[in-house]
Amino acid sequence: MQNNSQLKGYLRKDGRKGIRNVIVVAYLVECAHHVAREISSHFRGQQVHLIGFPGCYPNAYADRMMNALCTHPNVGGALLVSLGCESFNRNRLLENVAASGRPAHLVGIQQKGGTRKAIAEGIAWVEEAMQTIANVEVVNLQVSDLIVGTVCGGSDATSGITANPAVGKAFDTLVANNGIAIFEETGEMIGLEAIMSQRAITPALSEELRKSVEKAAKYYTIMGHGSFAPGNADGGLTTIEEKSMGAYCKSGNSPISGLIKPGDIPNKPGLYLMDVVPDGEPRFGFPNISDNAEIVEMIASGSHMILFTTGRGSVVGSAIAPVIKICANPETYERMQDDMDIDAGKILFNKASLDDVGNEIFTLIQAVAGGEKTCSESLGHQEFILTYKTFDPIGPGCLPV
């Protein structure tokens, strides 16, 4: 286990500490995507990441997400790329990033005179900003400074008996060390609301947890499709309840301190459930169109890194926050080990216990916080997706007093 006193973080103006020092190139409408991609591609292999919102029509959720992402503790500065006629409030985003103490700049493609001129301006600014953020103050980082999220993707019959409960063990250790752990998602807790709500630290939170799962069940019923893919069935899962039990294991055994929605940052150490299912009647389609959509939402809530469990073999990484890939199936690990950080499948052959793998995950959390690259980082994965959603604010009983 790495000595906490050896961990270093990038200190931000709001007191949070980052484990990476990334420049984000953020497009504010799909029409600006190509220009932003050309700018970020110029810095391939460096800490310059492409993110963005493709929609032209305004959306409060997307606005909140982009503001949270551009001021994430792992982000050192932000270049905003605008076409010029989209509805996104680009000037407010620019002001917010600048007010956070980060270098920020807006490139307007129409105003600048087109693609080539906008790309040239963007590249020149990023080169200058990279020199600026190299001087960000580096301070001691403790486990208690960390927020760690977890998602599962490409699950199979091994996920719920190896990788997911091993993450639960790591989460228990993280919470015991006053860190913050976030698990998802209410759409994969259907059938477990009674059990899960018993772990809430207050009766009010218990009721909020139960209602969030009931909302998810209603939403999916209206959509006519649940969080269950053909690959799950091919991998040996039979029902959403079975998948839910496996997904639930990622939460470990700690008391549940709160329920948050995308962009909410937990206010105290503990374990939190993230509700990713939109409020109200379905208006924008399925709530989790890909695993990366949930990864982005956890990053917007402050996650420094993501623990990603998979049995089938997902390879995705992420912009802004490192992804630690934990493989549930030993056959998948053998076939795809270049993409996998931890082999949890060895539990099946009694080569390791759940505690052993849980400790291995927790040790890797510290190593990644200390700068060690994950497999997805080394391979250059920077997937990112942000779409339309709508959420009501969380209730007063959702967070610890």
Side-chain angles (χ1 to χ4, degrees), residues 36-325:
R37 183 171 57 244
E38 288 295 298
I39 295 168
S40 63
S41 296
H42 184 80
F43 301 93
R44 183 178 177 86
Q46 302 179 63
Q47 290 294 289
V48 178
H49 292 189
L50 177 66
I51 68 172
F53 175 58
C56 187
Y57 297 99
N59 179 251
Y61 158 80
D63 182 83
R64 184 185 193 203
M65 293 288 286
M66 288 297 290
N67 276 271
L69 293 164
C70 289
T71 56
H72 186 277
N74 288 356
V75 172
L79 174 66
L80 312 181
V81 185
S82 163
L83 177 61
C85 55
E86 71 276 1
S87 297
F88 198 98
N89 194 330
R90 52 190 175 274
N91 292 320
R92 183 175 62 192
L93 177 58
L94 180 66
E95 292 170 2
N96 289 344
V97 178
S100 75
R102 294 165 172 83
H105 184 67
L106 174 66
V107 174
I109 299 171
Q110 292 170 343
Q111 183 181 30
K112 189 64 184 176
T115 299
R116 286 190 175 90
K117 292 178 181 178
I119 292 172
E121 180 180 327
I123 289 173
W125 184 86
V126 171
E127 288 174 341
E128 182 179 336
M130 290 177 71
Q131 295 179 25
T132 300
I133 69 171
N135 298 315
V136 171
E137 183 179 359
V138 176
V139 296
N140 289 333
L141 180 76
Q142 306 295 327
V143 170
S144 57
D145 293 314
L146 295 177
I147 301 178
V148 181
T150 186
V151 303
C152 47
S155 301
D156 69 6
T158 66
S159 298
I161 53 179
T162 60
N164 289 356
V167 166
K169 294 285 187 179
F171 264 14
D172 287 342
T173 304
L174 178 65
V175 172
N177 281 272
N178 292 317
I180 293 173
I182 305 174
F183 72 107
E184 49 74 54
E185 57 159 319
T186 50
E188 291 184 1
M189 300 297 155
I190 295 171
L192 299 174
E193 54 269 32
I195 297 172
M196 183 170 60
S197 62
Q198 293 175 5
R199 293 169 58 191
I201 61 172
T202 65
L205 176 60
S206 177
E207 179 65 11
E208 293 286 356
L209 294 174
R210 184 187 61 78
K211 288 193 300 184
S212 71
V213 178
E214 291 176 353
K215 179 188 72 171
K218 178 183 177 183
Y219 193 102
Y220 281 118
T221 298
I222 294 172
M223 293 299 295
H225 181 77
S227 182
F228 196 90
N232 298 145
D234 292 342
L237 292 173
T238 60
T239 62
I240 184 61
E241 288 83 3
E242 185 179 13
K243 185 180 181 184
S244 293
M245 287 188 286
Y248 178 66
C249 291
K250 300 197 304 297
S251 66
N253 293 300
S254 302
I256 298 176
S257 296
L259 172 72
I260 61 174
K261 297 179 182 181
D264 294 324
I265 298 176
N267 60 347
K268 288 187 177 181
L271 175 67
Y272 294 77
L273 172 65
M274 175 171 280
D275 177 5
V276 304
V277 177
D279 292 311
E281 296 299 313
R283 290 194 287 166
F284 301 118
F286 296 116
N288 51 345
I289 61 173
S290 73
D291 298 319
N292 277 92
E294 293 173 358
I295 290 176
V296 167
E297 290 175 331
M298 288 197 160
I299 296 172
S301 287
S303 294
H304 291 90
M305 68 185 80
I306 304 295
L307 307 180
F308 191 119
T309 66
T310 182
R312 300 283 290 173
S314 175
V315 301
V316 299
S318 176
I320 298 178
V323 172
I324 295 175
K325 206 65 62 61

